[in-house]
């Protein structure tokens, strides 16, 4: 499973017409070891997180919620096993893209890569009066 977006995913998101706030839903499965055999994947991810939270806040974003999933209620108990779920809000798609395009983020991202075995990141837009709509 990929830990970083492929080029097509990155370009598609960069060119999307989404306006306004975006919330990234991060599902995280930690690697057994991080950058070395002496460290856990969770420790490597924590190092990434410590750096990136400051970058998110500098862009006007915030950590909305974070927690540990403890039971797969619907789904495959093994394939859908996640160690953490985090919601991160950015004021706009542009602010997110600006942050992930910096050399500082790319340096911090090395700890994310070494700390994760698998991840899914979904870019979500708010829908205040949510309803399932056609199309």
């Amino acid at each position: 499973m990929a830990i970083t977006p492929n080029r097509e995913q990155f370009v598609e998101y960069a060119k999307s017409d989404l306006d306004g706030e975006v919330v990234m839903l991060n599902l995280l499965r930690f690697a057994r070891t991080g950058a070395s055999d002496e460290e856990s994947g969770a420790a490597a991810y924590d190092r990434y997180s410590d750096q990136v939270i400051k970058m998110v806040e500098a862009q006007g974003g915030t950590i909305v919620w974070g927690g540990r999933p403890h039971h797969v209620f619907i789904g495959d108990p093994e394939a859908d096993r996640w160690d953490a779920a985090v919601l991160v809000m950015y004021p706009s798609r542009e602010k997110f893209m600006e942050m992930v395009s910096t050399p500082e983020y790319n340096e911090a991202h090395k700890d994310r890569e070494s700390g994760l075995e698998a991840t899914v990141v979904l870019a979500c837009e708010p829908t205040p009066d949510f309803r399932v709509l056609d199309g």
Side-chain angles (χ1 to χ4, degrees):
M1 177 176 274
I3 302 300
T4 59
N6 64 39
R7 181 170 173 71
E8 293 79 26
Q9 289 169 319
F10 193 87
V11 169
E12 181 181 342
Y13 186 65
K15 291 183 175 182
S16 72
D17 61 356
L18 294 176
D19 262 346
E21 180 181 288
V22 61
V23 174
M24 295 295 196
L25 166 59
N26 295 259
L27 300 174
L28 311 168
R29 185 175 308 131
F30 300 121
R32 286 192 294 211
T33 61
S36 70
D37 289 338
E38 291 81 40
E39 137 179 287
S40 70
Y45 191 88
D46 277 347
R47 196 168 44 249
Y48 159 81
S49 183
D50 288 344
Q51 297 172 70
V52 172
I53 287 171
K54 296 172 192 163
M55 295 177 203
V56 169
E57 291 172 346
Q59 294 294 336
T62 189
I63 305 301
V64 176
W65 183 89
R68 290 185 177 83
H70 62 84
H71 182 80
V72 176
F73 188 69
I74 298 175
D76 181 323
E78 193 54 36
D80 298 327
R81 175 190 56 80
W82 299 104
D83 297 316
V86 183
L87 295 170
V88 184
M89 184 282 295
Y90 298 87
S92 66
R93 176 183 51 83
E94 292 84 2
K95 290 292 188 181
F96 171 78
M97 296 301 293
E98 185 179 306
M99 183 192 82
V100 299
S101 299
T102 64
E104 296 81 12
Y105 180 83
N106 288 323
E107 184 62 30
H109 197 270
K110 293 174 185 175
D111 286 321
R112 184 178 189 277
E113 290 178 31
S114 68
L116 292 176
E117 173 187 313
T119 187
V120 172
V121 179
L122 301 173
C124 305
E125 64 178 323
T127 52
D129 296 322
F130 178 76
R131 291 187 314 254
V132 178
L133 303 175
D134 293 341

